[in-house]
Amino acid sequence: MRTLSRLKSCLSNVSWTVWRNRCRWNFSIHRLESNRTLLKHLTSKINSTGPISVAEYMREALTNPVSGYYTRNDMLGPDGDFITSPEISQIFGELLGVWCVSEWMAAGKPSPFHLVELGPGKGSLASDILRVFRQLKSVLGEAEVSVHLVEVSPKLSQVQAEYLTSDQKLVCDDENELVYRSGTTHAGLPVYWYRRIEDVPKGFSVFLAHEFFDALPIHKFQRTEKGWREVLVDIDPESPNKLRFVLSPSPTLASATLVQLDESRRHVEVCPEGGVIIQNLANRIAVDGGAALIGDYGHDGTKTDTFRGFKGHQLHGVLDSPGMADLTADVDFSYLRKMAGNQVTCLGPITQQSFLKNMGIDARMQVLLKSCHDRDSRAQLIHSYDFLTNPEKMGHRFHFLSVLGQDRIALNKGHEKPVAGFTELVR
């Protein structure tokens, strides 16, 4: 009987393995067909109008409604193409939740209080922040808190809804509707989904953009003896099914308007869409109050060629298999500061290591380690802490920038109002 039971179990496992591999094979065929469809679309466009900008290529590869990477795939986590800080450790989201409450308190505890996240991934960050809100319910008091998520991917919005909500009241396919999905969080807070930042209701808001700006389309420019030329995407004449980079033979509208007059680098990446979004956030903060926290891979106007692709947690050719890999470019924080203008105050960028330590990650780690007696769990805590703060890992590659109202850090009775994360924590 035991032998028969084991045999049945083995047969069951074999059947499961065959079914799973068949599903993976079918999914791979589907993705391959989608890739061919997008490549055919791109080559047709190039044949019709000539080489396209890197920005247009990124936009098609990432957000094409039929074959775009973000619109079709669940790309986050260990089984995806990349992993983000909230998936590494819940401490990350907890500290950002403390930052949100700190800025709300510094503004005088206004109500209503909008928590707005741009590009929420799987919803892990929002979930960790909402857990902090529940723990600080006595601090938030009777404030009317609501959650607003800006997400262009239908696939990811569904994942977020399943993770964050106990019910889904509205799912709407009409692109004319501002709110295309809504529900209620497990703690009873209303949550809404939008396609554009402009559609989020006005009012005091804390905006979070974690690994959001690095996925926005960029233009690439190269300094030549004849002046600035834009880097474009063209069809490889030796292989019609492949793409290549070329330089525009003459100035383009983008090269004439987007490159700063005092630019000293020989190769520059500019994200005009990021500039528009930071201006939008700055206007909202200046008029309605609030703050924004931007965390991303980036630099302060020093790097040149950072455009890269990721697939299966490995670097991937940016022009290979469009729509099948994530495309990203380091955020130029100096450009964001400049585009934010004088109506707001910007702090940073500072490294993730500095930000998290200023937020008290070391003290939080000690509390968790003291209460954790399982060896494997302790090892995981230590590993995640190292990954987030080690300068050789995410500690110095990842940076934070805050956007605040002009009066946020004004002197008050001779004392400056500290901004959490950007000032060393005083306990």
Side-chain angles (χ1 to χ4, degrees):
M1 290 295 291
R2 288 182 179 177
T3 303
L4 181 60
S5 177
R6 288 177 181 175
L7 181 58
K8 286 181 178 179
S9 176
C10 289
L11 287 174
S12 176
N13 289 337
V14 169
S15 299
W16 161 251
T17 302
V18 170
W19 178 84
R20 180 183 60 188
N21 289 340
R22 183 179 298 163
C23 286
R24 285 179 175 175
W25 175 251
N26 289 339
F27 180 64
S28 297
I29 292 175
H30 173 71
R31 293 190 69 181
L32 181 60
E33 289 300 323
S34 297
N35 166 245
R36 289 172 177 168
T37 300
L38 185 55
L39 182 60
K40 183 178 180 180
H41 169 67
L42 290 170
T43 54
S44 176
K45 177 179 287 191
I46 293 171
N47 281 325
S48 299
T49 62
I52 60 176
S53 68
V54 173
E56 186 173 358
Y57 172 76
M58 282 187 73
R59 192 174 293 108
E60 290 282 5
L62 295 178
T63 59
N64 181 283
V66 176
S67 306
Y69 177 76
Y70 288 144
T71 55
R72 293 185 302 105
N73 302 312
D74 179 6
M75 71 294 294
L76 295 167
D79 297 327
D81 293 324
F82 57 91
I83 192 167
T84 62
S85 295
E87 276 79 43
I88 295 171
S89 172
Q90 70 179 56
I91 301 176
F92 182 87
E94 291 173 351
L95 295 179
L96 264 62
V98 172
W99 190 89
C100 294
V101 174
S102 173
E103 285 307 304
W104 171 76
M105 293 175 66
K109 302 183 179 181
S111 184
F113 171 14
H114 300 327
L115 174 66
V116 185
E117 186 179 359
L118 315 182
K122 285 187 172 181
S124 302
L125 178 59
S127 177
D128 291 337
I129 290 173
L130 291 175
R131 185 171 60 254
V132 171
F133 282 14
R134 289 196 299 271
Q135 294 169 348
L136 297 178
K137 190 173 182 179
S138 61
V139 177
L140 289 167
E142 299 301 319
E144 184 183 336
V145 180
S146 54
V147 183
H148 306 266
L149 305 178
V150 180
E151 178 59 71
V152 297
S153 167
K155 172 68 174 177
L156 279 177
S157 72
Q158 180 182 347
V159 173
Q160 295 152 13
E162 292 171 354
Y163 192 44
L164 294 172
T165 64
S166 55
D167 72 317
Q168 296 183 46
K169 298 177 182 177
L170 171 69
V171 178
C172 179
D173 294 328
D174 186 353
E175 293 190 359
N176 294 319
E177 291 291 335
L178 302 186
V179 177
Y180 71 88
R181 186 188 292 273
S182 68
T184 305
T185 70
H186 302 294
L189 299 179
V191 55
Y192 309 94
W193 278 261
Y194 313 83
R195 297 179 183 87
R196 307 184 311 151
I197 300 172
E198 294 85 349
D199 298 335
V200 177
K202 298 187 182 302
F204 179 90
S205 304
V206 174
F207 299 92
L208 297 175
H210 178 257
E211 293 200 39
F212 172 79
F213 281 88
D214 70 323
L216 297 178
I218 60 163
H219 289 265
K220 291 173 71 69
F221 305 103
Q222 182 71 43
R223 189 193 299 272
T224 71
E225 294 180 354
K226 298 180 179 179
W228 288 102
R229 294 293 184 266
E230 185 167 7
V231 179
L232 304 174
V233 176
D234 197 4
I235 300 171
D236 188 338
E238 297 182 0
S239 182
N241 292 322
K242 289 186 178 181
L243 302 173
R244 64 168 184 168
F245 288 121
V246 296
L247 282 181
S248 61
S250 57
T252 62
L253 178 61
S255 66
T257 57
L258 295 179
V259 181
Q260 302 294 318
L261 294 176
D262 58 350
E263 182 57 65
S264 60
R265 289 170 288 177
R266 298 196 61 81
H267 189 104
V268 182
E269 296 168 338
V270 181
C271 180
E273 192 171 325
V276 171
I277 290 173
I278 197 73
Q279 286 179 341
N280 192 324
L281 295 181
N283 290 336
R284 294 281 294 262
I285 291 168
V287 175
D288 300 323
L293 184 65
I294 300 167
D296 228 314
Y297 293 99
H299 59 93
D300 201 17
T302 56
K303 292 186 179 181
T304 56
D305 184 9
T306 70
F307 185 37
R308 58 197 184 277
F310 285 98
K311 182 177 173 61
H313 299 273
Q314 301 292 327
L315 285 171
H316 185 267
V318 291
L319 298 183
D320 297 337
S321 309
M324 297 278 284
D326 182 39
L327 300 178
T328 179
D330 283 4
V331 176
D332 186 342
F333 286 104
S334 67
Y335 174 74
L336 293 187
R337 279 202 318 271
K338 184 176 294 185
M339 297 304 292
N342 298 324
Q343 59 183 333
V344 292
T345 296
C346 294
L347 296 182
I350 63 172
T351 66
Q352 175 165 288
Q353 180 192 51
S354 296
F355 177 82
L356 294 180
K357 284 184 174 291
N358 287 343
M359 288 298 302
I361 190 173
D362 291 334
R364 178 61 176 152
M365 271 293 294
Q366 291 304 314
V367 170
L368 291 175
L369 288 173
K370 284 181 180 179
S371 62
C372 180
H373 305 291
D374 178 72
R375 185 175 64 179
D376 291 341
S377 297
R378 286 177 63 88
Q380 180 58 38
L381 276 172
I382 294 170
H383 171 75
S384 61
Y385 171 85
D386 178 69
F387 202 87
L388 291 174
T389 61
N390 191 322
E392 299 299 320
K393 297 175 182 177
M394 296 186 74
H396 280 188
R397 291 197 61 205
F398 212 87
H399 294 77
F400 280 89
L401 175 80
S402 64
V403 183
L404 311 165
Q406 279 190 328
D407 60 345
R408 169 61 182 86
I409 54 176
L411 294 180
N412 181 25
K413 294 182 180 179
H415 298 284
E416 189 176 85
K417 302 176 186 177
V419 178
F422 294 84
T423 306
E424 187 175 352
L425 182 68
V426 178
R427 291 185 293 132

